[in-house]
Amino acid sequence: MNDFYFISFTNLLTFEQKMVKGWFFKKERIVPVIRATKEMSFITMEHDFMGYYLFSNEACFDTEDKVKAFLPKGDGIDYYD
């Protein structure tokens, strides 16, 4: 099951109508938009629970090497953007 949820203690979350691209389609949908005006981080689980996504605008995570320093020894990063 794919669900989206966000726990917010401030007014950072809004829902906006945007054009969403899929494999074979493009259509307008209502999507969640997070306005991170202050430094913040949050983690979501990957769809199969085999990994996770870290979203951050904090300086301590601004390079791939800094993120790796927080991970347990032996864990790696599959994708960094």
Side-chain angles (χ1 to χ4, degrees):
M1 174 192 274
N2 289 332
D3 287 330
F4 177 85
Y5 59 92
F6 185 78
I7 299 172
S8 176
F9 297 101
T10 61
N11 295 324
L12 300 178
L13 176 66
T14 59
F15 293 90
E16 299 176 10
Q17 193 159 359
K18 302 244 182 203
M19 188 63 71
V20 176
K21 289 192 273 184
W23 284 91
F24 304 106
F25 67 89
K26 211 182 192 186
K27 65 163 113 174
E28 280 195 1
R29 292 201 172 173
I30 305 267
V31 296
V33 177
I34 301 165
R35 305 260 185 241
T37 54
K38 298 179 183 177
E39 285 192 338
M40 64 181 282
S41 297
F42 60 94
I43 296 173
T44 62
M45 295 302 296
E46 198 173 24
H47 72 281
D48 58 4
F49 293 96
M50 296 296 291
Y52 53 88
Y53 299 104
L54 168 66
F55 298 93
S56 179
N57 62 354
E58 294 185 74
C60 62
F61 296 123
D62 65 358
T63 68
E64 188 172 348
D65 290 332
K66 288 180 182 179
V67 174
K68 285 180 182 177
F70 277 89
L71 297 174
K73 193 167 185 88
D75 281 358
I77 297 174
D78 292 331
Y79 179 77
Y80 181 88
D81 185 18

